[in-house]
Amino acid sequence: MGRIRRVMSKRVVIGVLVAGLVAVGAGAFWFQPWKLWVDETVREALPAATESAAAGAAARTLASGELISHEHATSGKVRILRLADGSRVLRLENLDTSNGPDLRVLVADAPVKKGTAGWRVFDDGAHVSLGKLKGNKGDQNYVLPAGLDLDRYTSVSIWCDRFDVSFGAAALSRA
């Protein structure tokens, strides 16, 4: 009888340990905590206009804003530029934020609010994802869809799609 109890208790202990390891592995996959210590710096130049555009024409700023912190400390400048060929890009300049799982660049109709009130609002109304954040530091460009109405989409968020939270955001002011 004592031997059976020892065998059963070993099985229970092993089962609990295996379940614990699976839970830790799943949690690590979901949260990706190592990204907090890994920076990805991107240094993209301002995009050049197509060859069919007028030579020497400079990009024109249509709107801009300063990033404020939400869930994570975030700083930098956002500019929406019209290139000489008529295309528009959203440019992040001197971006500095934390890395995280599934970060995206969103343009939204949500107002930018300071503090925790602004953390979760950017996917509530109209919003457009411009794609995955290329890096958590540096300068980077995102092509805007041709029909995007800048009168409707008045803010930009560095958005964590995994946890539905804004790392930082900027209200866009028309130039």
Side-chain angles (χ1 to χ4, degrees):
M1 184 97 142
R3 178 180 155 102
I4 293 173
R5 282 188 184 164
R6 277 186 267 139
V7 168
M8 290 301 289
S9 67
K10 283 184 181 179
R11 287 185 180 167
V12 169
V13 168
I14 290 171
V16 168
L17 288 174
V18 168
L21 286 173
V22 168
V24 167
F29 174 77
W30 184 254
F31 286 98
Q32 299 179 355
W34 56 87
K35 287 197 169 189
L36 292 173
W37 295 280
V38 177
D39 289 328
E40 294 178 38
T41 301
V42 174
R43 297 278 182 220
E44 289 184 327
L46 187 64
T50 62
E51 293 177 21
S52 63
R60 191 174 115 230
T61 300
L62 301 176
S64 64
E66 294 289 328
L67 289 163
I68 65 166
S69 299
H70 279 147
E71 171 71 20
H72 293 265
T74 301
S75 63
K77 184 170 185 162
V78 177
R79 292 196 306 153
I80 293 183
L81 304 167
R82 179 178 306 283
L83 303 179
D85 65 0
S87 63
R88 298 175 302 170
V89 297
L90 183 141
R91 180 163 172 82
L92 299 175
E93 295 176 332
N94 299 314
L95 174 66
D96 187 2
T97 191
S98 298
N99 206 341
D102 206 14
L103 293 180
R104 310 229 170 224
V105 178
L106 295 186
V107 290
D109 66 353
V112 175
K113 300 175 186 176
K114 292 184 178 181
T116 58
W119 286 15
R120 300 186 186 277
V121 300
F122 294 97
D123 67 343
D124 292 346
H127 62 280
V128 175
S129 175
L130 302 181
K132 288 189 176 268
L133 186 69
K134 297 172 185 175
N136 63 307
K137 297 190 180 299
D139 308 316
Q140 44 206 280
N141 306 306
Y142 298 86
V143 175
L144 291 174
L148 187 79
D149 181 0
L150 294 180
D151 290 327
R152 180 176 186 193
Y153 296 96
T154 57
S155 59
V156 174
S157 173
I158 307 302
W159 184 256
C160 180
D161 214 29
R162 171 92 32 97
F163 296 105
D164 290 331
V165 68
S166 174
F167 275 31
L172 295 172
S173 298
R174 300 283 284 194

